[in-house]
Amino acid sequence: MSAFPPVRTRAVRPGAARSAAARTGAAPHPGVRPATHPALTAADPTGGAGAPSASATLSAPPAGRSATRVGRHVRVPKTAELVAAHLRRQIVRGELHEGDALPPEAVLMEQFGVSRPTLREAFRVLESEALISVRRGAHGGARVHTPGGDVAARYTALVLEHQHTTLADIHTAHTHLETTTIRLLATTITDPHLTTLTHHLTTTDITLDSTNPDPTDIHTQHLHFHTLLLTPPPSGSANTTARTNHTLTTLTLMVRHILDATTADSTPPDLDTLRHQHTLHRQLLAHLAHHDPDATETHWRHHLTHTPHHPTTPLDLLDLLGE
């Protein structure tokens, strides 16, 4: 078995191959395929066969008609953008998975038919989108990251901070989003999801019953419970997956990520408060197990509404979300 995931690639510099062939009269390199990207073919739709170019065709008006501009300059994507688009497509479509290591640079350079600077420029594009992370050095390389709510939260937080949004504003939006999501969850939750939540709360029970429970550890477990609520375990059933409202869940996770980031360095609640929150989580699990949407929504809305927050504090996450 290969040590690397199957990265299906194709050479993306057909224009250079055609230019070389035109100068020498030789056939293009067998590893370079004809361009299939619409922007590339628009630049030379004839493939260099000697027919009129696209620009000449567009500039020549039909007989008997006045010259009318019907086209505009077409931007041909840079080779690095095409390489990034190819890898992005494989990540988004699930052909590459979280944590997969991409082949070494030398292998990708050969597969794509590009230079090292071009490949690294494509990597920088994907790094800026948080779709890969690159480590330099002998044991480095590029690893895949699937897109999640934290990626969307980075850009959304920038927009909200620019608008001088307060934490109270975000907290209100989160309360409405998450209670609606949890109400829907009460009608669609599966046994594996209930099992995951039960196991997590049991772990928190053990932590709370320890000799010297750590408030920071318990608070972290409480935050993770909220995440587990919105991220059901994977299932082999297509019907189960289809019942999850991905749009609502993604928006809720995005806003929750922003809220969690605002309290990342804050002092956790005292043990009595943490025990009370744990009891509320247990009660929520009971409502979910009974598939009672009304009781679930009422209970969770009350919990979120009474969660301490800072009403007049403006959002300030540039340093936290920029890491």
Side-chain angles (χ1 to χ4, degrees), residues 4-24:
F4 303 107
V7 180
R8 298 201 304 272
T9 63
R10 56 183 174 85
V12 293
R13 302 182 65 190
R18 286 198 301 270
S19 297
R23 290 194 302 268
T24 64

Side-chain angles (χ1 to χ4, degrees), residues 119-140:
L119 180 64
R120 289 188 173 180
E121 184 179 351
F123 278 1
R124 284 192 291 270
V125 171
L126 296 175
E127 275 190 295
S128 70
E129 299 171 353
L131 292 177
I132 66 169
S133 58
V134 180
R135 293 180 56 187
R136 307 299 179 189
H139 302 288

Side-chain angles (χ1 to χ4, degrees), residues 120-187:
R120 289 188 173 180
E121 184 179 351
F123 278 1
R124 284 192 291 270
V125 171
L126 296 175
E127 275 190 295
S128 70
E129 299 171 353
L131 292 177
I132 66 169
S133 58
V134 180
R135 293 180 56 187
R136 307 299 179 189
H139 302 288
R143 289 196 173 272
V144 171
H145 300 296
T146 53
D150 57 330
V151 177
R154 290 174 181 266
Y155 296 98
T156 302
L158 292 177
V159 175
L160 293 175
E161 187 165 342
H162 175 68
Q163 297 173 346
H164 308 290
T165 304
T166 64
L167 294 182
D169 189 278
I170 299 175
H171 183 79
T172 299
H174 171 258
T175 298
H176 287 289
L177 281 170
E178 188 160 311
T179 51
T180 302
T181 305
I182 296 304
R183 177 185 177 86
L184 181 62
L185 179 64
T187 64

